[in-house]
Amino acid sequence: MYWSPDCVEGVVMAINGQFPGPTIRARAGDTLHIELTNKLHTEGVVIHWHGITQKGTPWADGTASISQCVINPGETFVYRFQVDRAGTYFYHGHYGMQRSAGLYGSLIVDVAKGEKEPFHYDGEFDLLLSDWWHSSVHEQGVGLYSKPFRWPGEPKSLLINGRGQYNCSLAAHYSTSSSTSQCKLTGAEQCAPQVLRVLPNKTYRIRVASTTALSALNLAIGNHKMVVVEADGNYIQPFEVDDMDIYSGESYSVLLTTNQAPSNNYWVSVSVRGREPHTPQGLAILNYLPTKASKLPESPPPVAPLWNNYTYSKLFTSKIVALMGSRQPPPTYYRRIVLLNTQNYIKGYTKWAINNISLTLPSTPYLGSIKYGLNGAFDQTSPPDDYPMDYDVMAQAPNQNAIYESGVYMLKLNGTVDVILQNSNALEKNKSEIHPWHLHGHDFWVLGYGEGKFTAKDDRSFNFKNPPLRNTAVIFPYGWTALRFVADNPGVWAFHCHIEPHLHMGMGVVFAEGVHLVGKIPSEALTCGLTAKMFLDNNNH
């Protein structure tokens, strides 16, 4: 539908007439029953429930070509699954680049009745962060698949709960530059800033999730400190910050105490990190009642750390450790998979590859083809567990040829798997990018981060004392990140860079475990490719 997320009208993908989609709230242990009807006239759709492990319901993960067929125009698909753990989650499209088009919303799971959170608060807010372009996702997708490659560019605006401002600023009056004009908004516009109404001397829980297509962000609240208490649905040892980095796919809860002068309002700001920013800050208002929301804060919005100050980002990341008493990782692994992230050319097309393979998804969802033994549905060669040791991760992409494949890492059920994410130089000289990797169906322990090329001796630096459980972890430029998880969830699960264009360009892998134990898959999930043919043949017999 037409909408003006940043005061410029464009087309958004909406749910029930809302952008962002409606917030879904549940309690831990609840079963959600969600009927998704596709009212898009010309394309399929699926929705992924980001951070929900889908134990026992792998067909409800909402990943096109992996857990299900896309839902065709006019069709309804029922997602029915249990939310087993309290936390801050969200949902989004997982087909083509529909997340970039605005197909997302919040999913909040409260503690089960009778349970208590390990921290106290008087009220709460949800902030869903995203980035926004003025070109359609179809146009962006064509550019990514073109030769020569056409990059969609940096976002035009940053959105907080679907609201941002383009070509004008709420904070222009602090600036000496004449290039930006002051936004003249009444508060009723679709792009009017989100207002967080608070009372003085209270504690508020602010749930923050990032569903950006590209941008790493930094969040700050003017004159206020934040205490970080939750990451990706897991409690962490609380620590205090002036501002915090948040990468695409991550979620946090912070506690904020309203201890500033109640006669003023304060900025909530998000700024771009990890890429040279060409996008203005996204702004919302922390409004101390009874002060009017229209009263602008007295000082300019907080200034973010320099975009490429990775030391600052690494320091923040290192402070995230599990709450005392949290589940510990198994002491050993049965299999270690080292995943080298490279940018490559394939026949002149710009792609991302993992161990020299650029992922292409098959027309039959893996969940169906593996369960029913349809071997022709995807490449049967297992992708490599490592990359050649003589590869120089610091040099300008020495190997610029990769291949397209759709193979799967078959994991032993209940086996402990280590994944080492290894970053490298991209095609451009002296350039290595940040990549936030998200795992479906599991949480993993983040055992450590390091610089340069990972070697076996880096095991000695791992944190086994209090590693945090996460579902999304970042690899820093020219660095590595070590993860450990238990493959205890029968199904087929994506593991991929959460930057939308990067996934689109092949930056992902697929894990499968215990698929023979998966119960009866709803036939609506498999009405495409070879599984559709199988159902047809069975019915004909």
Side-chain angles (χ1 to χ4, degrees):
M1 66 183 190
Y2 282 110
W3 200 260
S4 303
D6 61 0
C7 307
V8 176
E9 190 179 65
V11 173
V12 302
M13 278 190 189
I15 298 178
N16 295 356
Q18 295 179 43
F19 167 76
T23 295
I24 298 172
R25 278 198 98 99
R27 284 191 180 275
D30 285 355
T31 295
L32 297 189
H33 179 103
I34 299 166
E35 296 182 10
L36 180 66
T37 301
N38 182 3
K39 292 284 181 76
L40 304 169
H41 299 300
T42 57
E43 55 192 299
V45 74
V46 293
I47 286 190
H48 168 57
W49 314 95
H50 186 110
I52 307 299
T53 54
Q54 300 293 352
K55 277 267 168 82
T57 50
W59 52 81
D61 189 46
T63 44
S65 299
I66 297 175
S67 66
Q68 69 172 109
C69 302
V70 296
I71 305 157
N72 288 323
E75 289 183 349
T76 297
F77 184 84
V78 177
Y79 288 102
R80 191 179 167 87
F81 56 90
Q82 190 177 41
V83 287
D84 53 359
R85 217 180 26 174
T88 304
Y89 309 106
F90 57 103
Y91 62 84
H92 60 79
H94 213 294
Y95 176 53
M97 288 176 52
Q98 291 180 347
R99 179 159 57 92
S100 303
L103 193 55
Y104 41 72
S106 293
L107 171 56
I108 308 298
V109 182
D110 292 310
V111 289
K113 271 206 166 77
E115 301 272 314
K116 277 200 167 74
E117 300 274 11
F119 40 82
H120 164 80
Y121 51 97
D122 302 300
E124 74 171 77
F125 298 99
D126 306 329
L127 298 182
L128 187 59
L129 311 178
S130 55
D131 40 12
W132 190 249
W133 281 257
H134 292 165
S135 56
S136 77
V137 292
H138 300 109
E139 196 179 328
Q140 292 180 44
V142 170
L144 295 174
Y145 281 152
S146 290
K147 187 165 69 170
F149 178 69
R150 292 193 194 185
W151 179 244
E154 304 303 307
K156 297 295 185 194
S157 52
L158 300 177
L159 308 181
I160 300 176
N161 290 349
R163 296 164 175 269
Q165 297 79 38
Y166 175 75
N167 254 354
C168 73
S169 169
L170 299 168
H173 60 291
Y174 305 107
S175 169
T176 50
S177 156
S178 57
S179 61
T180 309
S181 62
Q182 183 72 24
C183 295
K184 294 178 175 61
L185 300 171
T186 66
E189 298 87 353
Q190 291 168 348
C191 61
Q194 181 76 41
V195 176
L196 282 56
R197 294 183 171 84
V198 296
L199 293 168
N201 301 311
K202 301 278 186 195
T203 298
Y204 292 89
R205 177 184 194 164
I206 302 180
R207 298 176 180 270
V208 193
S210 174
T211 183
T212 54
L214 175 66
S215 312
L217 300 174
N218 181 270
L219 170 78
I221 300 176
N223 293 37
H224 291 73
K225 292 196 180 293
M226 299 176 283
V227 177
V228 190
V229 291
E230 176 219 346
D232 296 352
N234 293 287
Y235 297 125
I236 58 173
Q237 207 58 40
F239 65 100
E240 190 178 70
V241 291
D242 292 314
D243 58 75
M244 59 185 283
D245 286 343
I246 178 164
Y247 300 96
S248 179
E250 292 186 329
S251 67
Y252 291 98
S253 283
V254 299
L255 299 180
L256 171 117
T257 304
T258 50
N259 54 10
Q260 295 301 301
S263 55
N264 289 335
N265 292 325
Y266 302 88
W267 294 113
V268 178
S269 71
V270 288
S271 314
V272 172
R273 302 274 287 134
R275 304 179 70 84
E276 193 167 347
H278 296 285
T279 311
Q281 284 180 309
L283 297 172
I285 306 276
L286 184 70
N287 169 216
Y288 272 68
L289 297 173
T291 305
K292 281 189 171 157
S294 55
K295 182 184 177 185
L296 288 173
E298 290 188 343
S299 35
V303 177
L306 200 62
W307 70 271
N308 56 358
N309 182 350
Y310 296 116
T311 307
Y312 191 95
S313 301
K314 290 168 186 175
L315 188 64
F316 171 74
T317 306
S318 69
K319 289 178 180 167
I320 300 168
V321 295
L323 190 63
M324 278 165 68
S326 298
R327 202 156 48 101
Q328 295 287 98
T332 54
Y333 60 88
Y334 98 93
R335 183 174 178 183
R336 174 170 281 176
I337 300 171
V338 183
L339 299 177
L340 173 70
N341 293 230
T342 56
Q343 194 179 28
N344 304 65
Y345 291 120
I346 300 183
K347 296 179 178 166
Y349 291 96
T350 304
K351 297 289 170 187
W352 287 93
I354 305 303
N355 292 355
N356 224 31
I357 293 170
S358 190
L359 180 66
T360 50
L361 294 173
S363 55
T364 306
Y366 292 107
L367 187 63
S369 56
I370 295 173
K371 182 170 170 65
Y372 297 114
L374 306 173
N375 293 344
F378 60 93
D379 293 314
Q380 294 300 297
T381 313
S382 182
D385 278 20
D386 211 332
Y387 65 96
M389 276 301 104
D390 59 356
Y391 187 93
D392 184 355
V393 300
M394 308 301 284
Q396 183 180 2
N399 167 26
Q400 295 180 4
N401 293 300
I403 55 170
Y404 297 120
E405 268 189 8
S406 59
V408 174
Y409 288 96
M410 300 288 185
L411 306 178
K412 185 171 79 182
L413 187 63
N414 298 319
T416 299
V417 180
D418 274 14
V419 173
I420 312 294
L421 290 166
Q422 175 69 60
N423 212 339
S424 68
N425 201 101
L427 287 169
E428 207 177 301
K429 202 172 182 182
N430 299 325
K431 185 178 184 181
S432 183
E433 295 187 21
I434 278 187
H435 301 287
W437 276 75
H438 170 61
L439 177 59
H440 292 232
H442 314 74
D443 281 352
F444 46 68
W445 288 275
V446 184
L447 298 182
Y449 301 87
E451 314 284 327
K453 184 189 277 200
F454 177 87
T455 62
K457 66 176 186 297
D458 288 313
D459 284 28
R460 280 175 259 168
S461 68
F462 286 177
N463 169 19
F464 285 110
K465 190 177 133 215
N466 53 7
L469 268 172
R470 303 290 306 257
N471 63 52
T472 302
V474 69
I475 31 173
F476 291 106
Y478 301 110
W480 55 263
T481 299
L483 316 172
R484 177 167 293 182
F485 72 97
V486 179
D488 58 0
N489 192 2
V492 185
W493 309 105
F495 181 45
H496 61 89
C497 177
H498 210 259
I499 291 173
E500 191 83 313
H502 290 185
L503 169 60
H504 219 50
M505 293 160 69
M507 198 169 200
V509 298
V510 176
F511 294 137
E513 67 222 42
V515 179
H516 61 288
L517 297 175
V518 171
K520 188 175 186 310
I521 303 169
S523 57
E524 310 86 73
L526 301 175
T527 52
C528 61
L530 297 180
T531 39
K533 187 176 179 299
M534 182 190 79
F535 283 126
L536 203 63
D537 291 347
N538 288 349
N539 290 342
N540 289 344
H541 296 311

